[in-house]
Amino acid sequence: MSDPMADLERQLKPYRDRFPSFRELPPEGLARTEVTGLVEQLASAEDCRWRDGYASGAVYHGDPEHVAFLSQIYAAQSQSNPLHADLWPSATKFEAEIVAMTAAMLGAGHAPPETPVTGTVSSGGTESILLAMKAYRDFARERRGIATPEIVAPVTAHAAFDKAARFFDMPLVRVPVDGGFRADLGAVAGAVTERTAVVVGSAPTFPHGVIDPIPQIAALAAERGVGCHVDACLGGFILPWAEQLGYPVPPFDFRLPGVTSMSADTHKYGYAAKGSSVVLYRGRDLRQFQYYTLTDWPGGLYLSPTFAGSRPGALSATCWAAMVSIGKSGYTEAARRILETGARIRDGVAAIPGLRVLGDPLWVTAFAADDGLDVYQVMENMSHRGWSLNGLQRPAAVHLAVTLRHTVPGVADRFLADLAGSVEEVRANPGVSTGMAPVYGMAATLPADVVRQLLTGYLDMLFEV
Ligand SMILES: Cc1ncc(COP(=O)(O)O)c(C=O)c1O
């Protein structure tokens, strides 16, 4: 049976063997040309399968001209830090406009003037979610007198909600999903109590790419006087355009009066460089519970809107540049290509005997296998053919999140042909279990503590030189 630690070691070894390692600072600095050469060699040694569309998600745009454009903007702003608004007012301008443009795209125009949609830029989807949950916790304690505020979230909501619950000591009440992998409304209603700070819905979910019944969740939250966070990290920059293109998208944003906050990732389908996302709130109050201020520190009066202190203003500049250079027409065209490719892939997977598409997704296709066929072995066989797909569990499944890389002619056909070939091979050799297949099998049978120890050991290994 394969060992995930050994697999990681195998992946890292060539890099450790072929390139110099630094366990302490070199006595004399290396020449810049030498360092540039090393970094370029590392980049070219890295297998850029994502460029040819072999990866699920990961790189959402990736066209060379777009990447070069973002790098040029980064270079022009590399010293910028929004913590010092006096030195870099441009960083503040970029961030305010990123928030305004994202809010306008997500229904802010429907909010009454006394409670405008507000927000901040963060470093990614996880930070946006953590920030919102912390804001709800502190709001619930101070304004609603709840000692231990709770989060109610479907089991399919992103792991970041669990992370928030653990970091901020907020009990997380997980509710089941229905047969279509959407939040079970009866279960959500039953889970909301006087301790609930916020109810969560996803548009769409990470695992299965389906949209929770947001209008009903938001109405329930409003009726019970609790917050409603819509996690649109994945869909925020696709669904508004999908709706205009005529796809069946229920209202999921600030057009619904019950929606009190949202997360939308600019570094996914906003096509910005990695390290940026937006968290939005209905009104100014909740956002103020996100802020941090310190008045009696010898280091001076201190204030920061998010978790970090100093932040990379250059990333906000590249995010702003991506948004204003792509514009509504560019995002609509990108969404059209992604949704068309998503539909082809979903229908193509459904037509492969032995595989079953889970739920009714638009562009993230999750599939499970019939009895007698191990879907993780199919994923492993796909990885031998170059594909990097996402393994899911409960139930055992695999998904592909379609990005612009998959809309390049030939990529979808290659995926479907490889998938059909992998299914046939696994059927012919059902007992041969390698790579991630036994790891997922093992995770399903071992006690949670043991699996946690394995994952912790894996993280430890990442920091060995
Ligand atoms: C629905 C959803 N929420 C949150 C996240 C977390 O985003 P990040 O990895 O940027 O922290 C993801 C990431 O894929 C996601 O799909």
Side-chain angles (χ1 to χ4, degrees):
M1 191 177 85
S2 94
D3 166 359
M5 307 294 180
D7 283 351
L8 178 65
E9 185 60 36
R10 228 182 345 267
Q11 274 168 34
L12 298 178
K13 196 170 181 315
Y15 291 88
R16 290 178 177 150
D17 292 350
R18 276 176 52 196
F19 299 98
S21 296
F22 297 93
R23 285 182 187 78
E24 57 180 308
L25 286 169
E28 303 293 333
L30 310 186
R32 284 188 179 144
T33 46
E34 192 181 340
V35 178
T36 320
L38 269 174
V39 173
E40 281 170 3
Q41 275 178 53
L42 274 160
S44 61
E46 229 138 34
D47 162 14
C48 293
R49 281 175 292 160
W50 60 264
R51 221 169 260 147
D52 297 320
Y54 279 103
S56 169
V59 178
Y60 292 77
H61 193 301
D63 279 357
E65 305 78 47
H66 182 70
V67 174
F69 170 63
L70 298 186
S71 303
Q72 190 189 352
I73 302 284
Y74 191 99
Q77 292 276 342
S78 71
Q79 301 306 298
S80 158
N81 178 358
L83 189 67
H84 304 284
D86 56 332
L87 291 175
W88 289 284
S90 63
T92 306
K93 166 192 158 65
F94 293 142
E95 295 201 337
E97 292 180 17
I98 292 167
V99 170
M101 288 188 280
T102 309
M105 185 182 72
L106 295 173
H110 293 254
E114 58 281 12
T115 50
V117 175
T118 64
T120 65
V121 170
S122 81
S123 64
T126 299
E127 190 186 357
S128 288
I129 289 167
L130 292 176
L131 287 165
M133 296 303 109
K134 183 245 177 246
Y136 280 112
R137 183 196 65 178
D138 294 353
F139 178 90
R141 279 183 185 159
E142 200 174 306
R143 296 283 174 85
R144 297 177 52 213
I146 305 173
T148 314
E150 294 180 359
I151 304 169
V152 172
V155 289
T156 46
H158 195 271
F161 292 97
D162 196 277
K163 204 175 199 177
R166 280 204 242 166
F167 284 4
F168 306 135
D169 281 330
M170 299 175 80
L172 173 61
V173 184
R174 286 283 198 186
V175 294
V177 289
D178 62 19
F181 295 90
R182 293 184 165 89
D184 177 324
L185 279 171
V188 175
V192 175
T193 68
E194 68 283 356
R195 295 180 303 280
T196 305
V198 57
V199 184
V200 174
S202 304
T205 63
F206 168 80
H208 312 107
V210 299
I211 306 171
D212 282 325
I214 306 291
Q216 293 82 348
I217 293 176
L220 175 84
E223 192 191 306
R224 308 283 273 272
V226 304
C228 170
H229 181 87
V230 176
D231 179 12
C233 281
L234 207 50
F237 281 79
I238 293 277
L239 294 176
W241 321 114
E243 197 178 333
Q244 288 179 20
L245 289 164
Y247 285 83
V249 179
F252 67 98
D253 56 19
F254 288 104
R255 286 169 297 176
L256 300 169
V259 171
T260 50
S261 63
M262 295 187 74
S263 40
D265 283 359
T266 36
H267 73 184
K268 292 192 176 80
Y269 296 99
Y271 311 123
K274 275 288 177 278
S276 95
S277 168
V278 175
V279 57
L280 298 171
Y281 299 100
R282 182 182 294 282
R284 295 184 195 286
D285 267 19
L286 267 173
R287 180 173 65 174
Q288 290 180 1
F289 280 95
Q290 174 190 304
Y291 292 162
Y292 181 78
T293 55
L294 182 61
T295 56
D296 58 358
W297 180 44
L301 295 173
Y302 187 90
L303 60 161
S304 68
T306 61
F307 292 131
S310 291
R311 289 183 297 118
L315 282 181
S316 290
T318 58
C319 174
W320 179 89
M323 291 174 81
V324 299
S325 68
I326 293 171
K328 289 180 184 168
S329 61
Y331 283 113
T332 308
E333 174 56 16
R336 187 190 62 72
R337 284 165 56 194
I338 287 169
L339 291 159
E340 282 175 13
T341 308
R344 273 201 57 212
I345 288 188
R346 182 193 58 214
D347 297 348
V349 171
I352 297 175
L355 296 184
R356 194 161 27 89
V357 172
L358 302 183
D360 186 17
L362 285 173
W363 73 97
V364 178
T365 296
F367 53 91
D370 290 346
D371 284 351
L373 183 66
D374 181 344
V375 77
Y376 298 130
Q377 280 191 50
V378 173
M379 176 172 82
E380 190 53 29
N381 192 295
M382 286 294 274
S383 82
H384 297 155
R385 295 166 189 250
W387 292 93
S388 172
L389 306 178
N390 295 88
L392 313 172
Q393 54 180 351
R394 304 170 187 231
V398 171
H399 89 199
L400 173 80
V402 169
T403 70
L404 283 173
R405 303 320 308 148
H406 305 106
T407 67
V408 172
V411 176
D413 288 340
R414 189 177 67 209
F415 173 77
L416 292 170
D418 281 349
L419 188 59
S422 295
V423 166
E424 269 173 40
E425 264 181 47
V426 172
R427 257 196 224 293
N429 305 284
V432 187
S433 202
T434 59
M436 286 310 285
V439 177
Y440 272 101
M442 204 167 64
T445 55
L446 290 176
D449 273 359
V450 178
V451 180
R452 199 164 284 136
Q453 268 174 30
L454 271 170
L455 299 180
T456 305
Y458 187 95
L459 289 175
D460 278 346
M461 269 192 68
L462 296 176
F463 295 95
E464 279 169 24
V465 182

